[in-house]
C-alpha cells in the first residue's frame, strides 16, 4: 500500500479530527450575491465544520475571466503572505465561492492527499472550477490561474473557457484530479432563456434532495420536476457535463424573470427550518446587528481583503430595502 493511500485511509478513519490535525486555509472568492442566504450556509456547513481553519476572503471587483483568475490566484497570494508573517505553511487549502449556498456539510472524505478534489458535473468541456480542495503544493498549482493564459498560449492552446483552461492547466502541471459530490449550488440572479436550448445554462431548483455540485440555482415556485424536467435536461449539450438529473433527480426553474415576489417563503420551504430561520433573522436585521455579525465573521479571517463591514452592511441593507419596496 502506497504512502498516499495510507494517509487517505487515516483521514477517512479519523474524519474531521484527522483533517484538523494539520493546518487548513479556507478561501472564499467572488461576488457576495445573495450573501444573506449563502453566508449563513457557509458558516454552518463549511467554517463550523473545521473551526481551527483560517479564513481568507477575496471579493470580486470588476467582471471578466481574467479578473476571476486574478481572484483565484489572489487567494493564494493572501495565504502566502500570512504564511510568511506567521512562519508556517498550511497543509490543506479549500477554495470555494462566496455566492455558493451549502445545503450540507463539507465532508472530510473530500480531503485526499496528492489529489485535487473538485465537484462533479458542470464541466463545460473541462473541469468544474467552482470548488477545489487539496494539499498545499497541489492547491498552489491549481490556484495559479492568472498565469494560466500565457502558459497555455506558449503550449499552443487558445480559445479556451475557464473550465477547459483549468483542465489543460492541471494536465500540463501533471496534477491528479478527482470528482466528488458536494451539496452546494451557486445562487444566481441572472435571467436565462427557458426552456434552455442545447447550449443555454439551466437553473436548478433549490429544492435540494441530492448534490448540486456548484450548478446555478434559485428558489422557484412550481419548478419543473420528474419526467417533465428530465425531457428538458435530455436536450442539453452532454459535453458540458451537467449534474446528475436522470429519474427526476433535479428540478428546473424558469429563470426568464426576476426572483418571484414571495421567493422568501419558497426558499424557507425548500431549505428547511434552520436555513429558513437564518434568512428571516437577516431579513429583519438592523445595520448595527449586521456590523456585529460581520465583525464575528471578520474575526475568523486571517486576512480580510474586503470593504469595511459598515460599508458592506449599509450597501447590502439599502439594496434589501429597495427590493422589498418593489415586491410590496
Amino acid at each position: 500500500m502506497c504512502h498516499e493511500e495510507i494517509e487517505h485511509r487515516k483521514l477517512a478513519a479519523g474524519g474531521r479530527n484527522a483533517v484538523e490535525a494539520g493546518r487548513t486555509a479556507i478561501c472564499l472568492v467572488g461576488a457576495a450575491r445573495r450573501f444573506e442566504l449563502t453566508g449563513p450556509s457557509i458558516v454552518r456547513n463549511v467554517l463550523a465544520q473545521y473551526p481551527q481553519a483560517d479564513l481568507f476572503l477575496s471579493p470580486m471587483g470588476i467582471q471578466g475571466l481574467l479578473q476571476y483568475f486574478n481572484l483565484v490566484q489572489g487567494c493564494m497570494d493572501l495565504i502566502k503572505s500570512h504564511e510568511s508573517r506567521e512562519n508556517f505553511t498550511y497543509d490543506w487549502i479549500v477554495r470555494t465561492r462566496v455566492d455558493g449556498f451549502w445545503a450540507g456539510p463539507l465532508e472530510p472524505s473530500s480531503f485526499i492527499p496528492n489529489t485535487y478534489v473538485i465537484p462533479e458535473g458542470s464541466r463545460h468541456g473541462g473541469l468544474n472550477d467552482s470548488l477545489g480542495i487539496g494539499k498545499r503544493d497541489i492547491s498552489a498549482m491549481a490556484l495559479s490561474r492568472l498565469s494560466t493564459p500565457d502558459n497555455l498560449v506558449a503550449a499552443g492552446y487558445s480559445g479556451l473557457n475557464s473550465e477547459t483552461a483549468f483542465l489543460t492547466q492541471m494536465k500540463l502541471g501533471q496534477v491528479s484530479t478527482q470528482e466528488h459530490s458536494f451539496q452546494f449550488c451557486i445562487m444566481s440572479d441572472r435571467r436565462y432563456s427557458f426552456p434552455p436550448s442545447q447550449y443555454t445554462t439551466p437553473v436548478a431548483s433549490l429544492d435540494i434532495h441530492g448534490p448540486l455540485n456548484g450548478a446555478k440555482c434559485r428558489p422557484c415556485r412550481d419548478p419543473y420536476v420528474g419526467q417533465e424536467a428530465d425531457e428538458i435536461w435530455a436536450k442539453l449539450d452532454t459535453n458540458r457535463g451537467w449534474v446528475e438529473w436522470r429519474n427526476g433527480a433535479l428540478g428546473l426553474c424558469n429563470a426568464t424573470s426576476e426572483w418571484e415576489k414571495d421567493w422568501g417563503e419558497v426558499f424557507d420551504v425548500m431549505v428547511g427550518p434552520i436555513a429558513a430561520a437564518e434568512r428571516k433573522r437577516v431579513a429583519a436585521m438592523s445595520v448595527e446587528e449586521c456590523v456585529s455579525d460581520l465583525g464575528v465573521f471578520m474575526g475568523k479571517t486571517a486576512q480580510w481583503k474586503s470593504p469595511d463591514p459598515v460599508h458592506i452592511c449599509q450597501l447590502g441593507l439599502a439594496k434589501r430595502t429597495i427590493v422589498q419596496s418593489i415586491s410590496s
Side-chain angles (χ1 to χ4, degrees), residues 135-268:
K135 280 284 194 176
R136 198 247 186 235
D137 56 340
I138 290 179
S139 292
M141 170 71 73
L143 297 177
S144 299
R145 301 301 302 275
L146 193 58
S147 57
T148 292
D150 289 341
N151 294 338
L152 296 183
V153 169
Y157 295 93
S158 63
L160 304 178
N161 60 24
S162 179
E163 290 81 7
T164 53
F166 188 33
L167 171 62
T168 308
Q169 172 188 342
M170 300 300 267
K171 285 183 176 180
L172 291 176
Q174 298 182 325
V175 177
S176 173
T177 60
Q178 187 173 129
E179 293 184 336
H180 274 213
S181 292
F182 296 93
Q183 296 186 64
F184 86 106
C185 61
I186 305 302
M187 284 285 189
S188 178
D189 281 310
R190 291 187 60 184
R191 302 182 187 185
Y192 297 92
S193 62
F194 190 89
S197 62
Q198 184 178 8
Y199 300 107
T200 304
T201 299
V203 178
S205 165
L206 198 57
D207 189 9
I208 299 173
H209 299 292
L212 282 179
N213 292 309
K216 294 290 192 300
C217 66
R218 66 192 288 183
C220 61
R221 187 173 295 282
D222 300 324
Y224 290 74
V225 296
Q227 183 178 352
E228 190 175 30
D230 285 358
E231 290 176 354
I232 297 174
W233 280 105
K235 296 177 181 178
L236 303 183
D237 180 23
T238 56
N239 290 327
R240 295 197 175 194
W242 301 113
V243 292
E244 181 53 50
W245 52 266
R246 294 172 181 81
N247 300 317
L250 197 60
L252 279 168
C253 291
N254 181 342
T256 54
S257 303
E258 296 178 346
W259 285 25
E260 294 154 331
K261 290 184 178 181
D262 61 346
W263 68 262
E265 298 175 11
V266 177
F267 176 88
D268 293 347

